[in-house]
Amino acid sequence: MDAKPLFGRPWIFIRGVPSMDFLPPEGPLEVAFAGRSNVGKSSLINALVAKKGLARTSNTPGRTQELNYFVPDGYSGQEGDMPPMAIVDMPGYGYAQAPKAMVDNWTKLVFDYLRGRATLKRVYVLIDSRHGIKKNDEDVLDLLDKAAVSYQIVLTKTDKIKAPGVVKLLAETTEKIRKRPAAFPEVLATSSEKAGGIDDLRRAIGVAVGQPA
């Protein structure tokens, strides 16, 4: 096991995966980030690895159209020198203005990945704290439950609502997922802008993959 914590070294982008044919060989454990377009996914990943601009942020929802892979730097990727884990940035969902064929391709890629990736340890489903769980979020949670893929809810942009509202939303969200079979019971609250909850998320990922964060 690498002595350095997961988030104690620089992270790099290794590849974008437009279809299952381009997936890296199964090796390191993976955690994936899913969420509606514009939920703040790229900003959260950048805050998580403490590197601005690693995951590309965009004012255009639906920009991420591939599974984007990030790993800690300093590994050759050869057998015996694999990274301890990989972060997978999944395409945002729920962007109504994207062409239907594009949405269908994204959906198939995501579903195939979720169903067929043995090294996937957990999916972090991001929910905008200003809106809570919406219908298309519920559809994704249904899919994860059906595929028996462990997932954890992460509230984003909590700096945009008042503190009592965060407490209330945490309680409401926890209750909503209580009976979902694949849901991790603890809901995390984060703010990329204020770095709120980032250490909690790092610790959660460390536990999920069995590595010091």
Side-chain angles (χ1 to χ4, degrees):
M1 183 184 289
D2 195 317
K4 242 182 190 179
L6 286 174
F7 300 103
R9 63 163 73 232
W11 281 66
I12 57 170
F13 168 76
I14 54 166
R15 74 170 71 178
V17 176
S19 75
M20 295 292 281
D21 296 337
F22 295 91
L23 278 175
E26 287 189 353
L29 298 178
E30 297 170 7
V31 298
F33 283 77
R36 288 198 307 271
S37 296
N38 230 17
V39 75
K41 189 153 45 68
S42 297
S43 296
L44 187 67
I45 290 172
N46 291 339
L48 182 68
V49 301
K51 185 174 181 180
K52 289 182 178 177
L54 181 64
R56 289 174 299 170
T57 59
S58 171
N59 291 325
T60 307
R63 184 74 175 272
T64 303
Q65 299 174 21
E66 302 176 328
L67 299 172
N68 287 321
Y69 270 74
F70 305 96
V71 297
D73 198 7
Y75 299 89
S76 68
Q78 303 302 313
E79 191 172 346
D81 192 30
M82 300 289 279
M85 67 163 282
I87 288 174
V88 183
D89 181 8
M90 299 172 73
Y93 55 83
Y95 182 48
Q97 293 180 41
K100 184 179 184 303
M102 187 182 289
V103 173
D104 289 347
N105 285 342
W106 295 351
T107 304
K108 183 178 188 310
L109 173 62
V110 168
F111 287 10
D112 287 349
Y113 169 72
L114 291 175
R115 279 198 297 257
R117 196 66 170 169
T119 46
L120 176 62
K121 294 300 289 183
R122 183 163 295 163
V123 176
Y124 293 90
V125 181
L126 310 190
I127 302 293
D128 191 323
S129 60
R130 298 169 298 180
H131 308 303
I133 295 176
K134 298 285 192 185
K135 173 65 170 67
N136 48 13
D137 297 315
E138 290 181 349
D139 292 342
V140 170
L141 301 187
D142 289 344
L143 167 75
L144 291 166
D145 285 331
K146 188 175 180 181
V149 175
S150 171
Y151 62 90
Q152 186 165 10
I153 303 293
V154 180
L155 303 176
T156 63
K157 306 183 183 183
T158 55
D159 57 295
K160 307 295 185 190
I161 62 175
K162 293 178 179 175
V166 176
V167 174
K168 183 182 177 191
L169 183 60
L170 278 168
E172 289 174 349
T173 307
T174 301
E175 180 58 28
K176 277 185 179 179
I177 64 167
R178 189 167 57 85
K179 293 184 179 178
R180 287 189 171 273
F184 192 77
E186 181 187 7
V187 177
L188 298 174
T190 64
S191 163
S192 302
E193 201 167 295
K194 307 288 186 184
I198 300 301
D199 284 341
D200 293 337
L201 179 56
R202 287 174 180 154
R203 280 191 290 270
I205 291 172
V207 170
V209 300
Q211 293 272 351

